[in-house]
Amino acid sequence: MRAFITLLVIAILILNITSCKEKGTEPQPEPKPPGYQEDIPWPSLADSPWPMYRADPQNTGRSKGFGPQSGNVSWTSDSLGYFSSISLGYDSTIYVIVMNFDEFPAGENTGLFAFNLDGTIKWKFNYPIFDEKIGGAAPIVLSNGGIIVNSPYENKLYCVNNNGTKRWEAFLGNNIITQNGLSIDKDGNIYALGTKNGTPVLIAVGKMGEFLWDYQYENFWVGQISSMSISPDGKTLYIPGRQFGPGVIAIDVETQFIKWEFGRKGYAGDLLVDCSGNIYIITSDENNQGILYSLHPDGTLRWKYDLYKDLDNSWGYSSSILSLVMDKNGNLYTGKNEVISLDYSGKLRWQKEGYKIWSSISIDKNNMLYFSIHGGAQKELICMNENGELIFSTYFNDPYYIDYSPVLGYGTVSMVCISAPFFTNIK
């Protein structure tokens, strides 16, 4: 009996040792790189790869879906005028603001259009467009099935159901003229940039269209290319500054007070915020030369990269659209006459010359970059990987150029040319 007990104890010990060894050899998940970007939950937005301008309230330009793999044009629409960037619904519906020049300011082909992914029109919601040069902000697609659009001509916001019927309208009494100046917090409150009695104004509207508050400040920039961003906790708005004001202005949405300002002159791009709350901005220094700054959430300098000195002198101040995009690993991408990538600490990863970038840069969940280039007769969509290697290019046989952000999701990219009848979808 004693021998049996001894053998049993030995067997148990061997089993435990073997089990520990097996557990020790199980593959462990790879450590995430410094700067890895966790998704920021945003309950008010639709579960869509691209529900608003630049994909999310932080302006990351990073889609939760896939872009195209082949670069083949699946369809184009060239009979309407398109006056906003595109947003995508959770069901792959494409939303864009349209204006027919012959019907100005309103008509059956003016307002918010919903397209199916195959290019057929799903429905239209008609309302007046402001004028032939300034359209509406990119639609915001909500988690409750609504779509928020602005009507600058009427000084209104509309919430449209996803079947094309009106849910509510809100008269703001102020002109929301900027094309990218709508955003939304986690609770569904909407923020709009515009003018009030000739002074720039930030307006807050509740999720049912009720007026909450406004804040006038002469240094807000409300031009056509301006766009705000929001901190990961939804409590701070970052507003672009005007050409000779600060580069960025931080507003506490609970107290409606300015927390801090940063930058000397000339705002020239979208404000990007990462999942840790760090802010990224391209603006100008005291010599009017382009600098990429990274700021801590309190507005203090984290690092800076001298675009003018380290690249070429085309990075002096420019009013052209300069975008920043961040991949899941925290790497940054931007460009003007070249494409560059910086790591999370602001060090140059690579530089690719020969690309005159015309649109914002967008990136899909596989870290594939998409942007349009324009140089004389050269009008192309470019796709490159995170290492700067060209994957494909698609030539546009069209007199116009793509100047809005490529919108990625459902295996396609959708792009529009503002003020021209051109809208294309590529798979």
Side-chain angles (χ1 to χ4, degrees):
M1 183 66 179
R2 184 178 295 174
F4 172 76
I5 293 173
T6 301
L7 290 172
L8 181 61
V9 170
I10 292 171
I12 292 172
L13 288 171
I14 292 172
L15 181 63
N16 286 337
I17 292 170
T18 303
S19 176
C20 289
K21 286 182 177 179
E22 288 177 353
K23 288 180 180 178
T25 59
E26 288 181 358
Q28 300 298 313
E30 292 185 9
K32 295 177 180 177
Y36 182 82
Q37 296 298 297
E38 302 287 354
D39 290 335
I40 302 170
W42 217 261
S44 58
L45 284 176
D47 184 15
S48 154
W50 204 281
M52 62 179 293
Y53 178 74
R54 299 301 289 155
D56 52 49
Q58 287 70 47
N59 277 339
T60 64
R62 183 176 63 247
S63 174
K64 297 181 180 67
F66 298 102
Q69 306 300 308
S70 65
N72 297 321
V73 176
S74 55
W75 55 268
T76 60
S77 173
D78 57 3
S79 59
L80 300 167
Y82 300 97
F83 280 80
S84 77
S85 186
I86 298 167
S87 300
L88 299 177
Y90 70 92
D91 58 353
S92 75
T93 302
I94 297 169
Y95 298 104
V96 64
I97 294 172
V98 170
M99 192 194 84
N100 188 318
F101 289 98
D102 296 331
E103 299 175 344
F104 175 76
E108 64 176 291
N109 287 315
T110 297
L112 175 65
F113 274 47
F115 288 85
N116 294 305
L117 202 57
D118 64 2
T120 56
I121 295 175
K122 193 173 183 178
W123 50 258
K124 312 171 188 177
F125 177 78
N126 299 123
Y127 64 89
I129 300 298
F130 181 64
D131 65 21
E132 295 184 3
K133 295 181 179 179
I134 300 177
I140 298 176
V141 187
L142 307 178
S143 57
N144 61 16
I147 303 100
I148 301 295
V149 291
N150 74 310
S151 174
Y153 188 87
E154 302 171 293
N155 294 338
K156 287 181 180 180
L157 289 180
Y158 286 105
C159 183
V160 183
N161 294 310
N162 57 12
N163 61 2
T165 59
K166 182 175 70 175
R167 181 178 298 183
W168 53 257
E169 65 180 74
F171 178 70
L172 302 180
N174 302 298
N175 195 356
I176 308 303
I177 62 172
T178 179
Q179 292 170 348
N180 306 328
L182 282 184
S183 196
I184 188 169
D185 67 17
K186 294 185 176 184
D187 295 326
N189 300 314
I190 302 147
Y191 302 94
L193 285 170
T195 58
K196 182 178 182 179
N197 300 322
T199 302
V201 63
L202 170 66
I203 304 168
V205 176
K207 58 185 176 182
M208 297 305 295
E210 68 276 21
F211 175 82
L212 298 178
W213 51 267
D214 64 17
Y215 189 101
Q216 286 185 270
Y217 188 41
E218 61 181 6
N219 283 335
F220 289 155
W221 176 249
V222 293
Q224 294 186 43
I225 64 172
S226 62
S227 63
M228 70 188 93
S229 57
I230 306 181
S231 61
D233 62 7
K235 296 180 179 180
T236 305
L237 280 173
Y238 302 108
I239 312 294
R242 66 177 183 172
Q243 182 175 351
F244 298 107
V248 55
I249 302 154
I251 300 284
D252 187 312
V253 298
E254 294 179 338
T255 63
Q256 294 100 59
F257 282 104
I258 294 176
K259 297 172 69 173
W260 51 263
E261 299 179 354
F262 179 88
R264 293 177 179 270
K265 293 182 182 179
Y267 171 76
D270 294 322
L271 299 167
L272 188 153
V273 180
D274 68 21
C275 69
S276 298
N278 301 311
I279 303 105
Y280 304 83
I281 177 175
I282 298 174
T283 186
S284 300
D285 64 6
E286 64 275 12
N287 298 316
N288 211 30
Q289 297 174 357
I291 307 290
L292 168 55
Y293 292 99
S294 175
L295 309 177
H296 295 289
D298 63 1
T300 57
L301 181 66
R302 180 167 167 256
W303 53 257
K304 70 176 183 177
Y305 185 86
D306 193 329
L307 297 164
Y308 185 91
K309 177 182 176 182
D310 295 343
L311 298 179
D312 65 66
N313 58 15
S314 71
W315 284 91
Y317 174 75
S318 172
S319 61
S320 63
I321 299 175
L322 302 176
S323 70
L324 290 166
V325 64
M326 178 173 280
D327 68 20
K328 287 291 288 184
N329 295 324
N331 298 313
L332 285 163
Y333 306 86
T334 188
K336 192 173 181 183
N337 292 329
E338 67 284 294
V339 187
I340 68 166
S341 177
L342 307 179
D343 66 17
Y344 194 63
S345 62
K347 302 295 190 297
L348 183 67
R349 295 176 65 226
W350 50 259
Q351 174 185 358
K352 301 293 179 180
E353 298 180 351
Y355 294 96
K356 186 175 181 181
I357 300 176
W358 207 259
S359 73
S360 298
I361 301 174
S362 301
I363 192 167
D364 76 358
K365 66 184 301 181
N366 282 338
N367 292 342
M368 304 293 284
L369 303 171
Y370 298 85
F371 55 92
S372 73
I373 61 173
H374 172 60
Q378 185 186 29
K379 302 178 181 70
E380 298 176 69
L381 169 71
I382 299 296
C383 173
M384 62 173 53
N385 65 20
E386 60 189 304
N387 298 316
E389 299 165 336
L390 181 67
I391 303 302
F392 68 77
S393 63
T394 299
Y395 175 74
F396 296 111
N397 185 22
D398 192 273
Y400 305 105
Y401 43 84
I402 303 297
D403 48 7
Y404 263 137
S405 173
V407 171
L408 305 171
Y410 308 112
T412 68
V413 56
S414 299
M415 299 178 293
V416 297
C417 175
I418 184 173
S419 304
F422 186 68
F423 174 20
T424 188
N425 187 269
I426 295 173
K427 62 183 179 181

